[in-house]
Amino acid sequence: MPGEDQVPPGPHRQMLTTLHRAYVAAGRPGLRKIALGLKHDDSVPTTLNYQAIGKVLGGKHLPNPRQLTSLASWLHREGNIEEPDEESTRSLIQHLVELCEAAHNHQAAPESPKADQPSEKRKPAASDPEVIEYDLTSERLLLGCMLLSKDAVADVTEILNSEDFASSTHGSIFSTLANSYINGREVSVEEVAKLVSSEEFSKSTAAKYIATLVQEVDNPKNAEIYAAEIADRSLARRLARFGSKLQKTAQSAADDPEIKIDGLMSSAEEEFFSLTGERNSVSGLRAVLEGALDQVEAAGSRNAPLGVPTGFRDLDALNSGFRAGEFVLVGSTSGMGKSTLATDFIRSCSIQHADTSFLVSLQMNREDMITRMLSAEARVALHHMRAGIMTEEDWTRLARVMPSVNAAPIHIVDDSSYSLDQLARDCKRLKVRDNLRLVVVDSLDLLLPDSSVNRESGNGNSAEIAGRLRELAKKLELSIVAFYPMTRPPAHSTHRRPEIRDLPGSLENIADVVIILDREDAYERDSPRAGEADLIIAKNRNNPTAWITVAFQGHYARFVDMS
């Protein structure tokens, strides 16, 4: 029940007193429980969510008669073990509605905030965007929960820090409570008042103000709800400041031709994603443990791999697909089918499993890559499609797969001057917009580090690019598969097959997984293994290495599992 300094004597306070009696009789249910109960109560439709319910019970919001009737009816029913008498319910509702209407009619103008406590809405600082006013209700309720419950302190310190509070006073109280909990000190109003440092009120009034925070709380279990609201508002304020800064920077760029727009875009996107992602950069053990257990549980399911399905049964069984955050390097000599395997990974992700993929094709144009996908999906000979000699059956097969191919969330770029900076920007957009899961780069040696480097001068350091791709995969929590051309061993070499030692050592160290693609019949025409290909898992950071044999169907431009 709010104090008289918040809701002075009058019809509004009388209404709250009656409503709180029903709330206590109902067992002080949580706000979410009430909201869920109202949602399934068709007797009096209303639009009260848990946040609005908290404001009504806290005296911050005067409901309309319809909202009040719904809330009071539900609380009255919850507070009666036996079926409540309809007459008593009707009498309670009528009394509350009369008080509510009187409060609406005689509601006085809000009093100015007292000098010894922060106002409910704080005006923005000079550096803040002028359009935002900060509602401090959730901050007050959260601090009250923390003063009443150590469990609440433990829960919310994983979500918030003192900078998330709009009121510096509240941030100071939060830090004091968090430090007291960490150091094992007893949490009390008096102790907190001694430790709080703030310019908004003196130490003599601190205890009085902190005591009012405790009085406002109905259920400390709602602490995480208030913390989530505060976190959202904190992010909104920082986004607003970012937008204001971006507007000024963009205006400067418009007036100054020396400022490069590409650099401005890269800087702005980096800051934006850093802003939205920093909250999740540090995780408590409990959150990490829950995620790890979820993965272990999911790994026990035989229905599907944890990561993006590769399209190959044995590879999925070994690695559980392409895992989020992993950088996979696929190496092979020329003529083995790198581009074909690249389209196989894309097809499995997007056509067969409807997950968003991004193909960076620097070897072939997009039309060639799509033609290969159609050939593989429809099982129509690739040379028939290219030569224009498709049969009636070919057209029928092609028509049958066109809807699924057309609906697949595949994004392709085939610009020969495409750079790593552009790739990073496109991946961030696709991740936010379409939940991008897989990126395939064909091939790594053709990807430019930035737009200032031209093709003639080379792509710079492949290891540096690979390192940045790995960072991008981890940052955006997606899988990146990059193909890399390996040099064929010389004729006098003791080994004919390419091996992991044929890769630059720096690339091997950076990659989480190294796959070497090899076909014996590519250099031995009479090989008894004609039509077979090997996916040699030469390095596997989190799983064992292996040698997986698949079938190569070159006429359909695809690799498939051995039957």
Side-chain angles (χ1 to χ4, degrees):
M1 182 72 184
E4 291 188 2
D5 56 331
Q6 293 178 285
V7 182
H12 186 188
R13 186 164 187 83
Q14 294 174 31
M15 183 202 77
L16 277 179
T17 301
T18 305
L19 194 60
H20 270 265
R21 289 198 191 103
Y23 175 72
V24 172
R28 297 178 180 270
L31 301 181
R32 285 192 181 275
K33 181 179 179 181
I34 300 175
L36 190 62
L38 292 177
K39 181 179 179 181
H40 294 95
D41 183 3
D42 297 328
S43 59
V44 184
T46 186
T47 56
L48 277 173
N49 57 29
Y50 72 90
Q51 295 169 319
I53 294 169
K55 290 182 179 181
V56 169
L57 293 175
K60 309 301 181 187
H61 171 67
L62 190 59
N64 60 44
R66 188 185 189 87
Q67 293 172 328
L68 180 62
T69 299
S70 180
L71 177 59
S73 298
W74 188 87
L75 290 173
H76 189 58
R77 285 198 299 271
E78 285 291 302
N80 287 269
I81 299 176
E82 300 179 356
E83 189 70 23
D85 177 56
E86 291 186 7
E87 184 60 35
S88 65
T89 302
R90 190 180 304 109
S91 175
L92 171 68
I93 299 302
Q94 183 177 355
H95 177 60
L96 283 170
V97 170
E98 289 175 355
L99 290 173
C100 181
E101 291 176 346
H104 275 290
N105 293 334
H106 300 90
Q107 191 173 37
E111 298 179 1
S112 58
K114 296 184 179 180
D116 63 345
Q117 68 180 49
S119 63
E120 283 305 312
K121 286 192 174 181
R122 183 176 72 82
K123 291 290 184 180
S127 60
D128 294 331
E130 296 180 359
V131 295
I132 299 180
E133 289 188 353
Y134 304 151
D135 188 344
L136 304 181
T137 304
S138 295
E139 295 185 6
R140 292 168 60 87
L141 291 171
L142 173 69
L143 296 174
C145 292
M146 294 175 69
L147 285 161
L148 290 172
S149 169
K150 289 184 178 180
D151 290 339
V153 179
D155 290 339
V156 304
T157 49
E158 293 185 2
I159 303 173
L160 299 174
N161 58 56
S162 60
E163 295 179 356
D164 288 316
F165 289 80
S167 164
S168 59
T169 299
H170 291 166
S172 180
I173 296 173
F174 175 87
S175 294
T176 302
L177 288 169
N179 291 332
S180 297
Y181 174 79
I182 292 171
N183 295 321
R185 294 197 299 267
E186 192 67 29
V187 174
S188 67
V189 171
E190 294 76 14
E191 289 300 317
V192 174
K194 290 179 183 177
L195 297 172
V196 168
S197 59
S198 171
E199 296 179 358
E200 291 198 31
F201 48 56
S202 62
K203 291 276 181 83
S204 61
T205 57
K208 178 181 177 182
Y209 175 66
I210 294 172
T212 64
L213 300 178
V214 177
Q215 296 170 6
E216 294 177 10
V217 176
D218 291 316
N219 190 346
K221 293 182 179 180
N222 293 326
E224 286 190 89
I225 298 174
Y226 303 136
E229 293 175 7
I230 294 168
D232 288 343
R233 291 172 184 171
S234 173
L235 181 58
R237 291 193 299 272
R238 288 143 79 186
L239 284 171
R241 287 194 289 268
F242 166 75
S244 179
K245 174 184 174 183
L246 181 60
Q247 182 182 15
K248 294 177 182 177
T249 306
Q251 186 60 51
S252 298
D255 297 335
D256 186 354
E258 295 297 322
I259 299 179
K260 293 184 178 180
I261 193 66
D262 283 347
L264 174 61
M265 289 178 61
S266 295
S267 176
E269 288 190 339
E270 189 68 28
E271 185 173 350
F272 173 77
F273 279 97
S274 173
L275 178 65
T276 56
E278 65 182 16
R279 187 176 308 282
N280 300 321
S281 60
V282 178
S283 300
L285 176 62
R286 178 166 56 183
V288 177
L289 184 60
E290 290 176 357
L293 290 175
D294 288 343
Q295 288 194 6
V296 172
E297 183 180 0
S301 172
R302 299 297 179 184
N303 296 330
L306 285 176
V308 177
T310 66
F312 301 100
R313 179 182 58 249
D314 293 341
L315 185 54
D316 284 341
L318 178 70
N319 273 10
S320 199
F322 293 130
R323 306 287 287 269
E326 282 190 340
F327 173 61
V328 180
L329 186 69
V330 182
S332 78
T333 57
S334 61
M336 295 296 167
K338 291 193 301 296
S339 296
T340 297
L341 187 59
T343 57
D344 284 337
F345 292 153
I346 293 291
R347 288 192 304 109
S348 175
C349 175
S350 298
I351 299 178
Q352 297 165 17
H353 294 91
D355 289 322
T356 303
S357 65
F358 182 26
L359 174 59
V360 181
S361 177
L362 306 177
Q363 293 272 15
M364 299 183 182
N365 62 42
R366 66 184 71 193
E367 289 76 15
D368 286 339
M369 299 300 273
I370 292 296
T371 302
R372 285 170 175 263
M373 292 183 198
L374 290 172
S375 172
E377 285 294 312
R379 287 180 294 128
V380 173
L382 183 60
H383 71 278
H384 284 191
M385 299 178 70
R386 287 175 170 171
I389 55 174
M390 289 176 59
T391 65
E392 192 70 28
E393 183 180 356
D394 290 340
W395 281 110
T396 300
R397 289 184 175 184
L398 190 61
R400 193 178 296 127
V401 302
M402 279 301 296
S404 60
V405 175
N406 187 55
I410 299 173
H411 302 268
I412 302 178
V413 64
D414 60 356
D415 183 359
S416 61
S417 62
Y418 197 64
S419 69
L420 181 58
D421 289 343
Q422 291 173 300
L423 172 63
R425 288 202 299 268
D426 289 339
C427 286
K428 290 171 184 176
R429 291 193 193 100
L430 291 173
K431 181 67 176 180
V432 172
R433 190 183 69 189
D434 299 328
N435 190 28
L436 176 65
R437 296 197 64 193
L438 175 67
V439 179
V440 176
V441 180
D442 182 27
S443 62
L444 180 66
D445 61 310
L446 298 179
L447 184 63
L448 301 176
D450 58 64
S451 56
S452 65
V453 179
N454 56 43
R455 180 64 59 203
E456 289 70 24
S457 60
N459 73 338
N461 191 334
S462 293
E464 180 183 350
I465 293 176
R468 290 177 61 187
L469 287 176
R470 185 169 185 261
E471 290 176 5
L472 185 66
K474 291 187 177 300
K475 184 175 183 179
L476 299 185
E477 295 185 345
L478 48 82
S479 307
I480 297 183
V481 181
F483 286 78
Y484 185 81
M486 301 174 68
T487 303
R488 190 184 299 275
H492 62 272
S493 175
T494 57
H495 67 282
R496 295 290 301 276
R497 293 179 180 276
E499 299 180 357
I500 193 169
R501 63 186 178 184
D502 297 321
L503 285 169
S506 52
L507 289 182
E508 174 194 341
N509 293 334
I510 291 168
D512 296 295
V513 179
V514 175
I515 302 174
I516 296 177
L517 170 64
D518 185 60
R519 288 174 32 230
E520 189 175 291
D521 62 358
Y523 42 84
E524 292 184 15
R525 290 185 177 275
D526 298 328
S527 169
R529 299 187 61 212
E532 295 183 4
D534 296 316
L535 300 178
I536 305 168
I537 317 302
K539 176 187 176 181
N540 206 354
R541 197 182 299 275
N542 297 313
N543 290 295
T545 58
W547 193 305
I548 298 172
T549 300
V550 297
F552 176 59
Q553 297 178 346
H555 56 302
Y556 290 153
R558 67 180 188 175
F559 293 90
V560 295
D561 284 321
M562 297 289 287
S563 57

